[in-house]
Amino acid sequence: MPNLDAGIPLPWRPIVALCICNCAHFYAICSLFSYAGIMSADLGWAKDRNDAGSFAGFLQSANVLGRAPTSSLWGCFSDRCGSRRGLMCSMLSLMIGGVIFGLCSDRNLAVGARFLFLGAGSGWTTFLGPVAMDIGGSERQAEVIGYVFATGTFIQLL
């Protein structure tokens, strides 16, 4: 897509689509914070309520541990297949991971689902920059990313 002049309005449909993807990403990753400790204790994943916080942190860390080794692989995927196709695969992984994690009653399966689907399967942060560049060009990429990140901040308030 050619670079867009600052006087030309941005195409809002793709920006809204990116904002929806960002909302899904933030919800899948961050919604766990409010209930992970209680859930860990109630499901017997933690020894007691004092240990629940440690296991809740471990659940969240599984995302980062899964994402770290695969971010460069997502970049290679983006180069070969395109960032939009990669973005769709990433969102599908978030959806599957959210469903599997929601149905988990086993501690190891829950950590594995967050590691594999919400961590390793999520290339959102890898794809956002190139897709924003496609939409806004090099002059307005930061503006597109600003809109997208603003929706993530808003969804955290809900």
Side-chain angles (χ1 to χ4, degrees):
M1 190 176 244
N3 293 342
L4 299 174
D5 183 62
I8 300 173
L10 285 169
W12 285 101
R13 280 185 157 166
I15 292 174
V16 168
L18 280 182
C19 290
I20 291 169
C21 290
N22 195 39
C23 289
H25 176 261
F26 268 97
Y27 183 77
I29 303 300
C30 298
S31 67
L32 179 72
F33 292 137
S34 60
Y35 61 84
I38 295 170
M39 179 183 72
S40 299
D42 287 348
L43 291 175
W45 295 349
K47 297 173 197 164
D48 56 18
R49 289 208 181 257
N50 293 332
D51 188 40
S54 297
F55 186 73
F58 184 67
L59 271 175
Q60 187 60 27
S61 297
N63 295 339
V64 178
L65 294 174
R67 189 176 292 164
T70 59
S71 59
S72 59
L73 297 175
W74 278 115
C76 291
F77 182 86
S78 176
D79 291 342
R80 290 193 178 154
C81 300
S83 54
R84 291 182 188 207
R85 181 171 289 158
L87 185 62
M88 287 188 281
C89 291
S90 182
M91 290 298 113
L92 180 65
S93 178
L94 283 175
M95 182 185 73
I96 292 169
V99 169
I100 290 175
F101 180 76
L103 297 174
C104 283
S105 59
D106 179 60
R107 169 186 175 141
N108 296 329
L109 185 60
V111 171
R114 290 196 65 85
F115 176 86
L116 184 64
F117 292 104
L118 302 178
S122 176
W124 167 249
T125 54
T126 306
F127 300 125
L128 177 58
V131 173
M133 177 85 125
D134 289 345
I135 293 170
S138 61
E139 293 85 14
R140 300 186 73 187
Q141 178 185 17
E143 184 180 353
V144 173
I145 291 174
Y147 289 130
V148 172
F149 280 162
T151 60
T153 306
F154 176 74
I155 200 70
Q156 284 182 343
L157 296 174
L158 298 177

